[in-house]
Amino acid sequence: MYGSDSERPRPGARTAGGGARRTAARSRLAAGGACVLAAALLSGCSSDPGSGKGGDSAGGGGQGQRPKSVTPYWVDPRSNAARQADAYREDGKARQAEQMRKIAEQPVAEWIGTEDPGGQTRKVVGAAAKADREALLVLYNLPHRDCGQYSKGGAPDAGAYRAWLDQVVKGIGKRAATVIVEPDAIPHVLMEGCTPEQFQPERFRLLNEAVGKLKSLPRTKVYLDAGNPDWVRDPGGLVEPMKRAGIDKADGFSLNVSNYQTTESNAAYGRKFSPMVGNKPFVIDTSRNGNGPVAGAGADEEAWCNPPGRALGEAPTAETGDKLIDGYLWIKRPGESDGECKGGPKAGQWWPEYALGLVRNKR
């Protein structure tokens, strides 16, 4: 889980808190099958960013906002990437500063932490409103999350989760926000041995409550996470779990959060799944999918974790050219680690070298 960003260290230092590493090839589910809830698990596990130029200068901090017609979301002038770019410039590293700006100039999601969820949410949503933009938020705090892997943890119980959620809801209030609800939570239910069966009904209740409470707000859009096309190969297996989790109340679903699957494969998958859930639209995380997934992923059980050679994908935009795709978003924050693998720091911590690689590897 990403911790609160209210007290960010100087770029180069490691931030506190965990992160949202994302399961992929190691936990892919084969095609077909009814969902766990119907008693049969899906089975067969296998193994150019925009420059930011042309935006207005709302929001302060010297960081311009992207034109609202391109993307409605707020650019944080004090993001880790923005601070890192400033630090590079101060150190006379003009080339690195210019490269880091390619991340800093784009809106990225805020992952709400546990230390002060209400305060963090109010701060972000308030800053976005002041800049005449919308906040992009991620909820990632369900109990028993992440199958005990790099981002394990979450709220200790259902009561704690509800209290945390209520603070987030109050923090948003009547201001504009888009919320991605609990990446991985539903696909993890479909993974044998991941989320114990006794906890599954509670998970669906909490997801449904989260969607409902968020949609009770006047200006909040909600996207319920549906994994990625390299994970649940047959989207039909997601239908019942997504319905139990509240997809009928949500604005749509999210794909590819913190993963590297191509925009094209996600778009095809989303178009196939959408008619199964009432023709709901969807958003795609393009923060790191510019070069697609790493080659030979089947030979690496942690191919999803800080793979080398990856690149920034399409810049955040609402102009997708597809009526079913509401936006390409940077939901995973480029430059934050997937976990302690391949030389990376703890999940969610800032890793400037990897961030620069995402820029330099862009084809």
Side-chain angles (χ1 to χ4, degrees):
M1 162 64 66
Y2 287 90
S4 171
D5 287 331
S6 59
E7 296 294 334
R8 287 196 181 96
R10 183 181 186 275
R14 292 182 175 181
T15 58
R21 70 121 251 9
R22 204 67 35 233
T23 21
R26 70 171 295 280
S27 56
R28 293 180 304 190
L29 297 179
C35 68
V36 172
L37 314 169
L41 281 168
L42 291 174
S43 59
C45 291
S46 67
S47 42
D48 172 13
S51 67
K53 296 177 182 178
D56 60 59
S57 59
Q63 177 61 61
Q65 300 295 317
R66 301 302 313 281
K68 290 179 71 174
S69 61
V70 175
T71 178
Y73 299 111
W74 177 62
V75 176
D76 182 359
R78 297 291 291 168
S79 68
N80 279 327
R83 290 160 62 84
Q84 186 71 64
D86 290 344
Y88 281 144
R89 189 183 306 103
E90 291 172 4
D91 291 342
K93 300 177 179 179
R95 179 174 174 78
Q96 291 94 323
E98 180 182 1
Q99 291 172 328
M100 192 62 69
R101 274 289 160 199
K102 293 183 178 181
I103 296 176
E105 290 171 341
Q106 300 295 343
V108 299
E110 186 81 4
W111 295 64
I112 303 301
T114 57
E115 188 172 311
D116 181 15
Q120 182 186 358
T121 303
R122 282 191 296 274
K123 180 180 178 181
V124 174
V125 178
K130 187 176 180 180
D132 191 28
R133 295 299 187 274
E134 298 180 26
L136 178 61
L137 310 174
V138 182
L139 303 189
Y140 186 62
N141 193 34
L142 277 175
H144 318 293
R145 74 170 187 227
D146 205 38
C147 298
Q149 298 180 87
Y150 291 120
S151 292
K152 65 183 177 182
D157 54 43
Y161 184 82
R162 290 185 175 105
W164 174 84
L165 173 65
D166 287 344
Q167 291 187 59
V168 175
V169 171
K170 290 178 181 178
I172 296 172
K174 297 180 179 180
R175 295 168 296 193
T178 292
V179 185
I180 309 300
V181 174
E182 297 294 341
D184 295 355
I186 295 174
H188 273 162
V189 169
L190 302 179
M191 283 181 60
E192 186 173 7
C194 178
T195 306
E197 189 172 354
Q198 66 266 31
F199 299 131
Q200 293 171 14
E202 174 188 273
R203 172 161 294 191
F204 287 110
R205 284 194 298 270
L206 293 176
L207 288 168
N208 201 298
E209 289 175 25
V211 174
K213 288 181 178 181
L214 290 164
K215 284 308 299 175
S216 73
L217 300 173
R219 301 179 64 196
T220 298
K221 291 177 290 187
V222 177
Y223 294 88
L224 189 59
D225 190 64
N228 69 72
D230 197 46
W231 191 350
V232 183
R233 296 295 184 83
D234 177 7
L238 282 170
V239 173
E240 185 180 349
M242 291 287 281
K243 286 184 177 294
R244 290 191 64 179
I247 188 61
D248 291 343
K249 295 180 290 188
D251 293 275
F253 56 94
S254 58
L255 295 174
N256 204 49
V257 175
S258 295
N259 211 277
Y260 304 87
Q261 306 306 310
T262 66
T263 301
E264 293 75 17
S265 67
N266 278 282
Y269 185 87
R271 293 189 200 105
K272 183 178 180 180
F273 183 52
S274 175
M276 302 178 187
V277 288
N279 295 311
K280 293 284 185 175
F282 55 96
V283 295
I284 300 172
D285 185 353
T286 60
S287 58
R288 306 183 301 176
N289 72 344
N291 289 345
V294 66
D300 180 3
E301 289 190 351
E302 292 192 336
W304 51 266
C305 192
N306 302 322
R310 301 311 91 201
L312 299 175
E314 288 92 345
T317 183
E319 297 178 341
T320 67
D322 189 316
K323 65 180 181 180
L324 276 178
I325 305 177
D326 281 350
Y328 302 140
L329 308 179
W330 286 6
I331 301 173
K332 170 70 177 182
R333 300 159 69 90
E336 293 186 358
S337 178
D338 290 319
E340 295 174 275
C341 60
K342 301 180 179 67
K346 290 183 178 180
Q349 293 189 358
W350 176 241
W351 189 6
E353 294 80 11
Y354 198 84
L356 287 177
L358 292 173
V359 178
R360 292 167 176 167
N361 295 334
K362 180 69 176 176
R363 293 170 183 165

